[in-house]
Amino acid sequence: MALKIRFAKPAGPRPWASLLLRVGLLAVAAVAALVLVVGGYYYVKYHHIVDTRLRQPLFANTAKIFATPREVRPGQKLTVHLLANELREAGYTTDGASQASPLGTFSEGVQAITVRPGPQSFHAPDAATIHISNGVVDAISDEHGQALASYELEPLLITGLSEDANRTKRRLVTYDELPQNLVQAVVAIEDRRFFDHGGVDYVRLLGALRNDLTPGHRFVEGGSTLTMQLSRGFFLTPERRLKRKLIEIVITFQLEHRFTKKQIFEMYANEINLGQRGSFSIDGFGEASQAYFGKDVRQLNLAECALLAGIIQSPNRLNPFRHADRAADRRNLVLDSMVETGAITKDQAERAKAEPLHLSMASVDASEAPYFVDLVHEQLTQKLGDRDFNREGLRIYTTLDPDLQREATAAVESTIHVVDEQVDKLHARSKTDAPVVYPQVALVALNPHTGQVLALVGGRNYGNSQLNHAVAKRPTGSIFKPFVYATAFAASIEGTMLAGQDKLFSQVTMLNDEQATYDVGGQEYTPRNDHGEYHDQVTAREALQKSLNNATIGLASMVGFDRVAALARESGIKAARGTPSVAIGSYDATPLDMAGAYTVFANNGLHFDPWMLASVRSASGDVISDYTPTSKQVLDPRAAFLTTNMMQNVINSGTGYEVRRRGFTAPAAGKTGSSHDAWFAGFTSNLLCVVWVGNDDYTDVKIEGAHAAAPIWAEFMKKAVLLPQYSDTHDFSPPDGVEFVSLDRATNLLSDDACPESYNAAFLDGTAPTDTCDHPPDHRNVFQKILGLGGSKPAN
């Protein structure tokens, strides 16, 4: 019997399963369609946004602020190496470089360096060779071998103008200017497959997700590629939403489609934020290199490149100035990552890890002169209007001396504690619960013969306060008094005797220092001397030496208050008016005004308005506008010198002696000032400086100028005269019509061998005393004089 096998028919599809399949397929199709529609919408929308953004320059050309040119003279202490470094810093390239700098080139030998300015140089294209022997400039010659008395180098870049209201600083760099160590460091720690992926690294995204889910995993990489970070920085807000992430990816694809990897990295290198310095944001590796290391990005070594790459993750948390240990740990992690990628060897990494951070310790105030730059910006706006200086990439040449600016900032930072300690003592004695308020400070240094502002500090710390006290109007106090004495000397030169005098005014004219009362518009004005001390009759020399108020106001009344105020206004103290209080500095002026006013004394009666802006040029070096100083002869050179001679006595024997006590020894003239504020104004033969200390709320600082402002002035000037360009100080040279005589200190008559103590003083020809002191001769021998034995024999 045959076996029959019967196969069962397969069961037909269940109705519900078929329905689910169809619904699922429809859902997938709908989602795909939605993704295509939404994706297409955003792609088209952001394609337009990206197009619009890319039609403009990705980075506006930053206007650049340059210092005054360094003048090289025979006799200066310099080396070929130092000059070569300065030329490189200025943007020059060596002869024979693959691409010559449009600023200029140079060639260096063992004992000479030849400088060749280029078409974009600040100077005319006149080459020169500087010969150096044993560390000293021996000679300077032009390209024809003719000797030159001096030669100016290319001005150094100080900083760029802040780009916007957010106070951003940026120095643009090209990809080729970036050290390969920096490129490899960034790629190793931020995006290892940057040069291989198409903008989104899916492997890295999955790895980042795995790391987030793995307990205790040491974070190395995030999920965003460099291109994604760039798209976020250029086109998107920092909000964290899924929608923004999707848009970021859309823009990333567009950037990758439009640009090469090198172009993308260059944009990233200029865009990335790398922290904060003072009140400015540091954007881009070019700016960060200067901010953290004080050098051009091309000069960074391996350890420095790794540090900058490490900062990217969290610029504030890893700021090396505030968190050096964190920054060093992160740098070392970057170096390990570079070993893993094969960019460097293990030995190279270990050597770099062993290096200290080598941070530039110069503050923003010292290296970038922010108060000075703010004033330059204001002057640019006044002179050129509201044009976009940054977008035009203007090159702005100023009067600033970077060496002097560093010393000015250092003097303030290292000496302000002298003021603060006195404030603490005063506060402790006051037994008040009010918080201690420490005063502000300003320092202005000028070239007295040109009016150039060489250095300017406008406050204790620019990061804490951008209020520029160098241009804040304050009562000038006793630093005004020399203008009273200068006015009296001017009257003598004219042959005019002062009221109540029978001789022309001189240093030994007797003045009344008793307290007096004056009628001012129907109201009584009774000035006081400091400490309530009054004298009977004193010489004009002693009155200025001791800064006596009543004697000085009495002199001003004799010469005429209106005449004193007129000289002050011509010297730049515009608020001065002809009242008794003008003589003791009751009217306001800024520290910058007072520095300009003192050029009258330091420059033979010629007043210069302080100036900071020398030239504005286009990005290619074409002159847009050159600026020349404004000057006016407001005082006879003889009156200026005679007043200066009296101010020398103030420093050597009077209220200004504090600067001598603190070790400043160069020939100088100056004057202390104390009102509600503390001042010191003084000058040498080639440098003028004014220091102000005071409270923002106009309350009395209660410290004399000799103890608040003079210590800062002395610290600055001690360092300044050691710089080559200010080291050739000399005594002040008298003009024709002035004579020096030796006077007896006790009688202020001509001294002779019998006078026990004498001093030299300057007089207008024909006004010096003619009588000789009448001291009996001293017949004691040397040993008796030393031991104080014996007495003088009576005269026959």
Side-chain angles (χ1 to χ4, degrees), residues 122 395-398 613-617 623-627:
F122 177 73
R395 298 168 66 179
I396 301 155
Y397 294 92
T398 72
L613 192 58
S615 180
V616 178
R617 304 190 181 188
V623 175
I624 294 174
S625 186
D626 286 331
Y627 301 98

Side-chain angles (χ1 to χ4, degrees), residues 7-35:
F7 294 94
K9 293 182 179 181
R14 297 183 179 90
W16 58 270
S18 177
L19 178 63
L20 284 177
L21 180 61
R22 287 196 295 270
V23 170
L25 291 173
L26 286 173
V28 170
V31 170
L34 180 62
V35 169

Side-chain angles (χ1 to χ4, degrees), residues 149-164:
S150 62
Y151 187 76
E152 289 188 342
L153 301 181
E154 192 71 26
L156 294 177
L157 178 66
I158 303 170
T159 186
L161 285 181
S162 176
E163 291 187 6
D164 48 40

Side-chain angles (χ1 to χ4, degrees), residues 693-708:
V693 176
N695 292 325
D696 277 335
D697 62 1
Y698 279 80
T699 54
D700 192 345
V701 74
K702 297 180 180 178
I703 308 174
E704 295 177 343
H707 301 129

Side-chain angles (χ1 to χ4, degrees), residues 414-429:
S414 66
T415 315
I416 194 66
H417 72 88
V418 173
V419 179
D420 293 345
E421 289 167 2
Q422 295 176 77
V423 171
D424 287 335
K425 290 178 182 178
L426 290 170
H427 186 266
R429 286 201 294 267

